[in-house]
Amino acid sequence: MPLRPTPPPRLLVADQVAGAVYVLDLPDGRERGRVEGRHLAEHAGFLALPGDRTAFVDDLAGELVVLDPYGPDTGRPLVGASVPVAVPAEHLAADPTGRQLAVTTGLGRNWEPWSDLLTAVDLAAPDGPRSVRVRTRTGEPGVTVLGGAHPDDALVVLRHREPGSLTAYRHADLMAAAPACPPAAPAAELPLADDGHGDAHDPCTGRLFAATGSGVRRARRDGRALVVEEPLSWAGEGRGYYLRLDPVRRTLWSCVRGGPAEPARWPEWTNAAWWHDLDADRTGRLPLGPGLVFRLAVAAHHAAFARVHPDGDELILLRTDSGDPYVTARLPLPAMDGAPRPGRTPWDGVQRRAIAASPGSPLVAVTRGGHGEIHLIDADAVPGASSPVTTVKVPTPLNDGGHLALVCPGDGAHGDPVGR
C-alpha cells in the first residue's frame, strides 16, 4: 500500500468579532475548512493538544471547542468535540496528556472583576466530554494543569492577583463537585506577588512559572503540595507580561517591557526578547525596539515578535537553534488602518496583530487587523528580504487583529500546554 503523503502545515484563523474560524493550507492559503458562528475568546487563545488537535473557548456560546484540522482528510469531523464552560474565558490550559483541561473566567466587557467561576473538563470521560463549574474567587486568574502518575493526580493551579497566590486544586475533586457551582476547596496554596501576569508549565519537569514584576516565580509539585524554587531575573529594566515555552529547544520566552507606565505613552515603551534555557539554567535578553510588543511565536529555528510603532511596524526574527539567540531579520509590515495612535491606549478600539508559528515548520504568520490579511514568512529564507513572502486573504476583516494557530503534523506543540 502506498504511503499517504504528509499533509502540509495548516493555519487556523479566528475572526472573533465576525464569528468564524478558517482552516487554511500553507503556504498557498487554500481554505480547507470553516466553522461559522464561533467567537474565540482571544485572551485565552488557542491551545495545542496531542494528535494535532487544537482547543479554544467560544466566548459567546460558552463552550470549549476541540478542532481536528487534519480530521476531514481521513473522514473525521473538523469539530471533534464541544463541552459547556463558564465565560468570559480568561485562560485555558491542559495537563500533558491533553485530557484534563481548565478554563478560568475574567472581566469580559466589564471594568471590575465579577466572576469567580472555574471550569474543569475531562475530554475522555466514559460518556463523552464532561465539564464541571465551581467557585474560587473573583479576578483574572492564570492557570496551569500539572500532570501526575495517574489521571486522578492532576493539579489545577490558579495564579491569582490581589492578593497574589498560587492555589492548587485536585482536578479529580473538581470533576466530582456537586451541581450549582459550589465553592472549591484548595489542596495547596503559596503566596505570590500581587502583580502576576503570564504563565507557563514545563511538562518534562512539572515546574510552573508565573511572571511578576520582580521576576519569574518558579514552583514544582511535591505530591499534592507546591514547593517554591528560586525565581528567575528579568536581567535588566522592565518586566514580562507573557510567558511561552518552546518545547523543542526547552526555552522559556517572554518580552520584557520598560519605559513609562502610562499606556498613552506606549510608543516610548522599550522591549527586549527575554529567554531562559531550562536545561542549562542560562538567561539572556535582546533589544527589540520601542513600541508595542506582546505575544510571540516559536517556529522550527526562530522565535518571532511583531512590533507596532507609529514609525512603522515590523516582524523581528531571532535564530534559536545555534547557541544564544540572535536577530536575523527585521521585516517591515504594511500599515494598518485604525492602528494604535500616540496619546491613546494601544489596545482599546484599535487594530492589532496576531502572530503564530509551529516548532515543526519555518513558517511564521502575522495578521493585518482590519484588512482580512495574513502575511506569511519563511523564516529560514528571509535574511535580507524587504517584504513578506506571501499575503493570504480571508473573507472577514479580522477586526481587533483576529487570532492564529499554526499546526504542523507531529510538531510537538502540545508540549506547551497553555493556551496562546
Side-chain angles (χ1 to χ4, degrees), residues 119-182:
T119 306
V121 177
D122 184 351
L123 289 179
D127 296 323
R130 179 172 175 266
S131 61
V132 177
R133 284 155 297 286
V134 298
R135 296 179 60 189
T136 56
R137 65 178 170 95
T138 58
E140 302 173 272
V143 64
T144 50
V145 185
L146 311 184
H150 186 274
D152 288 346
D153 296 333
L155 289 180
V156 175
V157 183
L158 302 189
R159 187 258 310 142
H160 281 296
R161 294 189 290 191
E162 299 175 351
S165 72
L166 293 172
T167 305
Y169 303 84
R170 293 185 66 242
H171 189 278
D173 291 344
L174 300 178
M175 295 302 302
C181 303

Side-chain angles (χ1 to χ4, degrees), residues 41-242:
E42 192 271 341
H43 199 276
F46 283 113
L47 170 66
L49 297 175
D52 305 322
R53 299 170 302 152
T54 304
F56 70 93
V57 174
D58 181 337
D59 230 359
L60 191 59
E63 289 187 320
L64 174 81
V65 181
V66 178
L67 297 181
D68 186 354
Y70 295 100
D73 295 3
T74 55
R76 301 189 306 272
L78 175 57
V79 176
S82 63
V83 63
V85 297
V87 291
E90 183 75 8
H91 289 286
L92 165 65
D95 81 314
T97 71
R99 170 179 175 171
Q100 297 159 309
L101 284 71
V103 180
T104 64
T105 50
L107 270 66
R109 294 184 180 272
N110 300 276
W111 292 106
E112 299 293 336
W114 63 278
S115 176
D116 59 2
L117 289 177
L118 165 69
T119 306
V121 177
D122 184 351
L123 289 179
D127 296 323
R130 179 172 175 266
S131 61
V132 177
R133 284 155 297 286
V134 298
R135 296 179 60 189
T136 56
R137 65 178 170 95
T138 58
E140 302 173 272
V143 64
T144 50
V145 185
L146 311 184
H150 186 274
D152 288 346
D153 296 333
L155 289 180
V156 175
V157 183
L158 302 189
R159 187 258 310 142
H160 281 296
R161 294 189 290 191
E162 299 175 351
S165 72
L166 293 172
T167 305
Y169 303 84
R170 293 185 66 242
H171 189 278
D173 291 344
L174 300 178
M175 295 302 302
C181 303
E189 191 161 17
L190 290 176
L192 187 71
D194 287 350
D195 63 352
H197 196 299
D199 310 277
H201 168 212
D202 175 17
C204 293
T205 63
R207 284 190 178 93
L208 63 88
F209 306 87
T212 71
S214 60
V216 178
R217 301 292 161 169
R218 297 189 291 181
R220 59 178 172 81
R221 70 174 297 167
D222 182 6
R224 296 185 181 181
L226 297 176
V227 178
V228 174
E229 296 189 340
E230 285 295 314
L232 303 173
S233 168
W234 293 121
E237 178 200 5
R239 62 155 298 178
Y241 292 87
Y242 176 79

Side-chain angles (χ1 to χ4, degrees), residues 264-287:
R265 296 176 62 186
W266 66 270
E268 303 172 51
W269 286 345
T270 62
N271 299 279
W274 177 93
W275 54 269
H276 176 77
D277 186 316
L278 294 173
D279 296 329
D281 197 25
R282 190 172 70 254
T283 302
R285 55 190 277 171
L286 289 166

